[in-house]
């Protein structure tokens, strides 16, 4: 009901005005190119396999980007679609099923719509079928002006592998689309090659496979390396088409690619035991914000996909105080260092809570549950607010939604 919406809103409270910070509006007016990097986990960054770099392009890019090194995916069964939901709505996905399917006719007040209201042309680009994850229906509610799907790409046997169009070809053709868009634009590019089961043609292997009993883990590294190469191609193409200087390019990992089924071989690779603590850490994905001409910096605060939207709007200098969201601007100094995963696990500066156990962040050793206790109530509340907003379609009562 409307009352419930007001109650939740009152409890979330209005966000602080952060327009006085130096970071406010530093990317104002730029095109925004957001890359969903399929199954990209953070452990491959600045790491090697068989002595070879796995993400040479990203490793270089990070040095002149804002890199959030402790950023978590918060997805559940809806995988890539959950990641999109989090990034665009700053709400949690559901604990079961995919909100992209179950609540695709709800009212949202999503990032593409807000950007659109601020003069942006908004689109999503993906070399797969438009109905995958129900995107073609959900995107209408999220406010995208245009969805480029497999019908907008030249796809043949030569240029595809596994799930479809190879990432390098996808990037080349996508920049073709970007070059025809009205500016400024907000474009969401969804990669595909680094998808389970990580199939790759011999000619696209820039590095060799890992050697363990897990075929999945072995094959993961060359496809990550291939995706990394596709990002290099993206940047080259953007520069060629004069789209680089006036854009900001953001890369994020959507969810994990290597599940707990591969813990034994993962443990060999990482040379450490995969405890529930380490398994939680492995849910970190990269978030890299590249603003051409601006200095890089590494930000270590714990954060998650839910925090992306207020952070982006802050950089664009778009006011976000009055929105019904559960994430926090990552440039805010008052922000509580807490990230909640969809299964109720959480991470703070000092502790990690998962599977009903509390671990010291510093040592990774299980500690007294009382250290995690103070956060539990808030964690439960946040997840339940999000659920109630989705199940009750409560954003239809959002007055901001109608003012815009
Ligand atoms: C499908 C692609 C993959 O279009 O985005 O989705 P996933 O299986 O990773 O959720």
């Amino acid at each position: 009901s409307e009352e419930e919406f007001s109650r939740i809103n009152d409890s979330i409270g209005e966000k602080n005005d952060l327009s006085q910070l130096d970071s406010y509006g530093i990317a104002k007016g730029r095109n925004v190119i957001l890359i969903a990097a399929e199954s990209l986990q953070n452990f491959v960054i600045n790491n090697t396999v068989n002595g070879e770099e796995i993400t040479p392009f990203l490793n270089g890019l990070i040095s002149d980007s804002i890199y959030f090194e402790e950023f978590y995916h918060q997805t559940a069964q809806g995988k890539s679609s959950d990641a999109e939901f989090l990034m665009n709505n700053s709400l949690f996905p559901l604990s079961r099923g995919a909100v992209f399917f179950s609540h695709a006719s709800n009212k949202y007040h999503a990032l593409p719509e807000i950007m659109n209201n601020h003069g942006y042309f908004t689109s999503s680009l993906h070399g797969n079928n438009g109905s995958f994850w129900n995107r073609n229906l959900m995107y209408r509610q999220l406010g995208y002006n245009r969805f480029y799907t497999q019908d907008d790409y030249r796809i043949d046997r030569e240029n595809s592998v596994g799930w479809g169009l190879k990432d390098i070809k996808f990037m080349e053709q996508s920049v073709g689309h970007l070059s025809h868009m009205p500016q400024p634009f907000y474009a969401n590019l969804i990669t595909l090659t680094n998808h389970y089961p990580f199939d790759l043609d011999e000619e696209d292997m820039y590095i060799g496979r890992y050697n363990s009993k897990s075929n999945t883990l072995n094959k993961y590294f060359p496809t990550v390396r291939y995706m990394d190469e596709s990002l290099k191609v993206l940047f080259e193409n953007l520069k060629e088409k004069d789209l680089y200087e006036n854009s900001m390019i953001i890369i994020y990992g959507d969810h994990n690619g290597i599940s707990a089924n591969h813990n034994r071989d993962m443990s060999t690779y990482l040379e450490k035991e995969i405890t529930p603590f380490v398994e939680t850490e492995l849910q970190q994905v990269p978030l890299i914000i590249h603003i051409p001409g601006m200095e890089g910096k590494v930000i270590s605060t714990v954060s998650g996909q839910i925090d992306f939207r207020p952070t982006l709007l802050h950089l664009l200098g778009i006011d976000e105080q009055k929105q019904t969201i559960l994430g926090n601007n990552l440039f805010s100094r008052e922000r509580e260092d807490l990230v909640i995963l969809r299964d109720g696990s959480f991470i703070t500066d000092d502790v990690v809570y998962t599977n009903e156990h509390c671990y010291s962040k510093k040592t990774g050793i299980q500690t007294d549950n009382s250290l995690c206790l103070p956060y539990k109530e808030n964690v439960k509340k946040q997840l339940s607010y999000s659920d109630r907003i989705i199940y009750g379609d409560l954003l239809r009562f959002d007055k901001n939604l109608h003012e815009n």
Side-chain angles (χ1 to χ4, degrees):
S1 65
E2 186 155 9
E3 223 172 280
E4 191 178 18
F5 179 70
S6 312
R7 267 205 312 275
I8 292 178
N9 242 340
D10 289 347
S11 167
I12 296 173
E14 193 158 302
K15 306 282 174 200
N16 294 324
D17 176 12
L18 298 170
S19 57
Q20 298 311 314
L21 295 183
D22 290 345
S23 43
Y24 186 76
I26 56 171
K28 202 176 180 69
R30 285 176 184 267
N31 300 316
V32 179
I33 302 170
L34 178 65
I35 319 288
E38 174 63 42
S39 305
L40 183 64
Q41 289 179 239
N42 209 35
F43 75 88
V44 296
I45 301 292
N46 286 319
N47 210 343
T48 57
V49 68
N50 310 321
E52 295 187 278
E53 254 185 306
I54 306 160
T55 57
F57 177 72
L58 288 181
N59 298 346
L61 184 71
I62 281 169
S63 60
D64 48 18
S65 303
I66 306 168
Y67 171 49
F68 293 89
E69 63 172 358
E70 219 184 301
F71 182 78
Y72 287 80
H73 86 81
Q74 295 161 298
T75 67
Q77 291 170 341
K79 308 275 302 252
S80 298
S81 69
D82 280 355
E84 290 182 44
F85 187 80
L86 278 148
M87 303 285 284
N88 283 311
N89 294 300
S90 191
L91 294 172
F92 290 97
L94 297 175
S95 59
R96 283 177 175 277
V99 57
F100 261 47
F101 275 110
S102 60
H103 294 81
S105 49
N106 272 18
K107 279 272 179 258
Y108 295 101
H109 185 40
L111 191 54
E113 182 191 304
I114 296 170
M115 303 280 284
N116 200 228
N117 290 338
H118 282 82
Y120 275 78
F121 175 78
T122 61
S123 68
S124 184
L125 300 88
H126 189 34
N128 197 0
N129 195 315
S131 63
F132 204 99
W133 283 127
N134 208 29
R135 284 186 175 105
N136 48 5
L137 294 186
M138 185 61 154
Y139 278 0
R140 286 188 213 154
Q141 300 309 94
L142 299 184
Y144 284 111
N145 294 131
R146 173 83 154 87
F147 183 21
Y148 297 81
T149 67
Q150 60 183 17
D151 304 333
D152 299 284
Y153 288 85
R154 292 180 306 281
I155 306 176
D156 52 41
R157 281 169 72 120
E158 281 282 282
N159 68 11
S160 34
V161 69
W163 281 50
L165 186 61
K166 294 180 182 181
D167 286 345
I168 290 183
K169 306 294 163 188
F170 169 70
M171 291 303 178
E172 289 168 352
Q173 295 187 38
S174 293
V175 174
H177 291 312
L178 297 181
S179 68
H180 292 115
M181 286 178 191
Q183 296 191 34
F185 56 72
Y186 166 61
N188 176 53
L189 273 61
I190 307 168
T191 62
L192 198 55
T193 309
N194 189 43
H195 193 290
Y196 179 84
F198 310 115
D199 287 336
L200 201 62
D201 291 330
E202 219 44 59
E203 70 205 42
D204 298 319
M205 296 228 188
Y206 294 89
I207 58 173
R209 297 194 177 102
Y210 182 56
N211 186 13
S212 75
K213 290 216 176 69
S214 162
N215 214 14
T216 300
L217 182 62
N218 298 347
K219 290 167 74 187
Y220 180 67
F221 296 99
T223 51
V224 170
R225 175 64 185 83
Y226 174 82
M227 176 164 58
D228 182 76
E229 193 69 20
S230 80
L231 293 168
K232 181 174 146 196
V233 169
L234 168 72
F235 276 65
E236 286 166 358
N237 278 262
L238 289 173
K239 284 176 186 168
E240 256 166 50
K241 295 269 189 216
D242 277 335
L243 285 170
Y244 173 74
E245 291 293 339
N246 57 347
S247 299
M248 70 192 290
I249 300 115
I250 305 162
I251 297 157
Y252 78 96
D254 61 355
H255 52 73
N256 65 331
I258 305 298
S259 73
N261 297 336
H262 307 277
N263 274 356
R264 195 195 46 205
D265 297 286
M266 192 63 151
S267 159
T268 312
Y269 172 72
L270 295 174
E271 295 177 351
K272 61 179 172 191
E273 193 193 335
I274 313 284
T275 61
F277 170 83
V278 173
E279 207 175 302
T280 307
E281 276 192 324
L282 279 170
Q283 306 315 309
Q284 289 171 10
V285 294
L287 172 63
I288 301 164
I289 300 182
H290 180 74
I291 307 172
M294 286 184 199
E295 252 174 58
K297 88 172 180 210
V298 178
I299 298 185
S300 314
T301 45
V302 291
S303 52
Q305 290 165 331
I306 205 161
D307 300 315
F308 170 73
R309 165 172 148 176
T311 306
L312 174 68
L313 291 178
H314 175 80
L315 293 175
L316 292 172
I318 296 176
D319 175 52
E320 35 100 8
Q321 273 174 275
K322 285 210 189 71
Q323 301 172 19
T324 304
I325 58 172
L326 292 170
N328 288 292
N329 179 345
L330 295 175
F331 291 97
S332 161
R333 289 187 202 104
E334 288 106 89
R335 168 178 187 272
E336 185 182 18
D337 290 309
L338 167 71
V339 57
I340 303 168
L341 307 190
R342 183 57 258 201
D343 67 359
S345 300
F346 59 84
I347 302 100
T348 75
D349 267 356
D350 304 314
V351 292
V352 168
Y353 180 83
T354 188
N355 279 333
E356 290 169 39
H357 293 305
C358 191
Y359 297 83
S360 150
K361 183 80 171 292
K362 240 206 199 110
T363 62
I365 294 168
Q366 201 180 318
T367 74
D368 199 81
N369 260 7
S370 64
L371 290 178
C372 288
L373 203 64
Y375 302 97
K376 273 175 125 175
E377 196 55 37
N378 186 21
V379 167
K380 236 171 81 189
K381 227 164 52 182
Q382 301 279 328
L383 289 168
S384 102
Y385 286 158
S386 187
D387 286 348
R388 277 151 66 193
I389 290 171
I390 296 170
Y391 286 124
D393 190 9
L394 297 186
L395 291 177
R396 72 197 138 115
F397 302 118
D398 187 351
K399 298 227 172 52
N400 289 311
L401 190 77
H402 305 292
E403 276 164 23
N404 273 303

